[in-house]
């Protein structure tokens, strides 16, 4: 793919470009697979909540995972009322 892109853009292909592209795709793939495993994401959610509580940041939260209804392909959480951080007008 890198070689074809470089040909189309009239650029020389350096072997380091190919290796970098392969590494990037491999890393993306690892992250994609991990994020597609919702039991893994459920553990991340619990770890995030615990980290916020350890820092006394109880206003920063994540939804509670409903484990009895969650699987590696379905993540069920409680509904959290609140303001999205990107829409919040508070100064902090």
């Amino acid at each position: 793919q890198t070689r074809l892109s470089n040909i189309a853009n009239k650029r020389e292909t350096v072997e380091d470009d190919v290796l970098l592209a392969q590494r990037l795709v491999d890393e993306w793939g690892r992250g994609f697979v991990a994020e597609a495993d919702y039991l893994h994401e459920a553990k991340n959610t619990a770890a995030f909540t615990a980290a916020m509580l350890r820092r006394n940041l109880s206003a920063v939260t994540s939804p509670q995972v409903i484990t009895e209804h969650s699987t590696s392909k379905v993540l069920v959480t409680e509904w959290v009322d609140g303001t999205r951080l990107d829409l919040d007008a508070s100064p902090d």
Side-chain angles (χ1 to χ4, degrees):
Q1 187 71 25
T2 301
R3 287 183 176 91
L4 290 174
S5 175
N6 285 352
I7 289 169
N9 292 303
K10 297 180 172 87
R11 294 186 56 185
E12 177 187 357
T13 298
V14 179
E15 197 58 32
D16 285 347
D17 291 345
V18 175
L19 293 174
L20 177 60
Q22 288 172 336
R23 288 184 191 123
L24 288 171
V25 169
D26 287 346
E27 184 61 29
W28 177 83
R30 279 190 291 277
F32 181 77
V33 169
E35 288 183 15
D37 179 350
Y38 291 122
L39 293 177
H40 178 75
E41 285 301 302
K43 289 178 186 175
N44 287 343
T45 299
F48 175 81
T49 300
M52 294 302 103
L53 290 174
R54 280 192 306 274
R55 291 170 175 82
N56 295 317
L57 297 172
S58 60
V60 179
T61 187
S62 58
Q64 180 72 32
V65 174
I66 312 299
T67 54
E68 60 269 16
H69 298 297
S70 297
T71 69
S72 63
K73 297 185 187 293
V74 175
L75 181 63
V76 179
T77 65
E78 69 177 351
W79 181 261
V80 176
D81 284 320
T83 304
R84 285 182 10 196
L85 291 177
D86 62 334
L87 299 177
D88 189 67
S90 63
D92 62 345

